[in-house]
Amino acid sequence: MQRLLEVMAALRDPQRGCPWDRQQTYRTILPYTLEEVYEVAEAIEQNDMAALREELGDLLFQIVFYAQMAKEAGEFDFADVAQEIGDKLVQRHPHVFADADIADAEAQTSAWEQHKARERHAKAAAEQRDPSVLDNVPQALPGLMRAMKLQRRAARVGFDWPDVEPVLAKIEEELAEVREVMANGADPDKLAHEVGDLIFACVNLGRHAGVEPETAVRGVNRRFENRFRRVEQLARQQNQTLARLSLEEMETLWDQAKAEEATAREN
């Protein structure tokens, strides 16, 4: 860890450092940080431990980068970051580091959320504003992930349907509203509004069904890509290109790709 910190400091050295690293700011490296997070997720989903080790290193480098820039500005350094997260984990786990008694994982989750709620209230008081159960849900999260977090927060105070049936009814209602807007000229702003409501309702379905929407979408993206690439291969085997095939012919190839995928899973 010390070697990594020294390497980072050398990269940012005003006289002898790397020109690219020296000119970076918090904002300019943010896109790289988000990219690294998703590359970690991809390595985990593919169960590729060699890739995971590499991507975790890349993600750690991002953290070290931020800490070095903060150190140069006299704000904090990497040791402060490590100290703060260590303190936070100890405070949030009194059943491990103190004498609190937590029966099981469900009770721990409840205690964790109560502790975070107290932290949010304390922060709101320090900022002289009214607290909200929706405080500190980052705006920069991917849309599906943020929708899920907002819904979970609201559900903690009882703003939730008791089971999945009303959620399914809500999806049908939102789909009908999308159809109505499209039938009346498909005003872009109204259509975006109604499609957003439909997607939000589908996220709610995922939450009630115990499915993480972001994970589900990544999965369907992966399946679509694999099947579509296979459709392209099948077309080439027939000395065809997709642009020259009808939709019905492409759907036939798509069904073949799906069947091959199902056979591979069974084997």
Side-chain angles (χ1 to χ4, degrees):
M1 191 68 240
Q2 184 59 39
R3 176 172 177 264
L4 178 57
L5 293 172
E6 291 170 356
V7 168
M8 184 70 255
L11 291 173
R12 291 276 297 180
D13 184 89
Q15 281 76 43
R16 302 181 59 188
C18 169
W20 187 89
D21 289 281
R22 290 203 310 265
Q23 72 180 16
Q24 299 311 305
T25 66
Y26 300 120
R27 289 186 179 276
T28 61
I29 67 170
L30 178 57
Y32 300 102
T33 306
L34 297 174
E35 181 180 339
E36 296 302 345
V37 169
Y38 284 108
E39 290 181 355
V40 167
E42 183 174 354
I44 291 171
E45 289 173 352
Q46 295 180 353
N47 196 31
D48 188 335
M49 292 299 102
L52 180 58
R53 180 182 60 205
E54 179 181 354
E55 299 304 341
L56 287 173
D58 291 344
L59 182 57
L60 177 58
F61 175 69
Q62 298 294 308
I63 298 169
V64 168
F65 208 140
Y66 289 116
Q68 176 62 30
M69 289 189 290
K71 180 179 180 180
E72 294 165 4
E75 300 291 342
F76 57 84
D77 62 13
F78 184 83
D80 296 322
V81 174
Q83 180 71 41
E84 185 164 331
I85 185 58
D87 291 346
K88 185 185 293 185
L89 290 170
V90 169
Q91 292 165 7
R92 290 182 176 178
H93 293 81
H95 57 297
V96 176
F97 300 102
D99 56 1
D101 185 19
I102 301 287
D104 52 30
E106 183 176 352
Q108 164 57 19
T109 299
S110 177
W112 177 277
E113 295 301 339
Q114 291 173 14
H115 186 91
K116 290 197 293 185
R118 290 193 294 271
E119 290 178 347
R120 289 194 296 271
H121 277 70
K123 184 176 180 180
E127 296 174 354
Q128 297 183 332
R129 60 175 176 80
D130 293 332
S132 169
V133 295
L134 303 183
D135 282 346
N136 301 332
V137 179
Q139 294 282 349
L141 285 176
L144 293 179
M145 189 180 298
R146 190 163 194 270
M148 181 72 126
K149 284 185 173 291
L150 290 171
Q151 292 175 8
R152 282 174 172 165
R153 289 282 187 88
R156 289 177 196 155
V157 294
F159 191 76
D160 195 15
W161 280 300
D163 54 57
V164 75
E165 287 304 320
V167 182
L168 292 170
K170 185 64 175 176
I171 290 174
E172 293 172 357
E173 174 189 327
E174 298 297 351
L175 181 57
E177 292 179 2
V178 169
R179 292 182 185 277
E180 181 180 354
V181 172
M182 295 184 72
N184 292 328
D187 176 271
D189 291 337
K190 289 183 179 179
L191 186 58
H193 179 100
E194 297 301 342
V195 170
D197 287 348
L198 176 59
I199 293 171
F200 195 81
C202 288
V203 171
N204 214 350
L205 173 62
R207 183 173 62 85
H208 276 265
V211 174
E212 287 286 343
E214 197 72 33
T215 301
V217 169
R218 285 202 301 271
V220 73
N221 287 344
R222 186 167 56 250
R223 291 193 300 276
F224 177 85
E225 181 178 4
N226 290 339
R227 290 171 187 170
F228 193 84
R229 289 178 183 274
R230 180 54 179 157
V231 167
E232 291 176 314
Q233 291 176 348
L234 292 170
R236 283 194 292 269
Q237 291 173 8
Q238 298 176 9
N239 296 318
Q240 292 280 10
T241 63
L242 296 187
R244 294 167 56 188
L245 295 178
S246 68
L247 178 59
E248 291 75 14
E249 290 170 324
M250 284 190 281
E251 287 181 338
T252 298
L253 296 181
W254 178 268
D255 290 340
Q256 181 179 340
K258 284 183 65 176
E260 292 175 355
E261 187 180 284
T263 300
R265 284 199 303 269
E266 292 172 358
N267 295 334

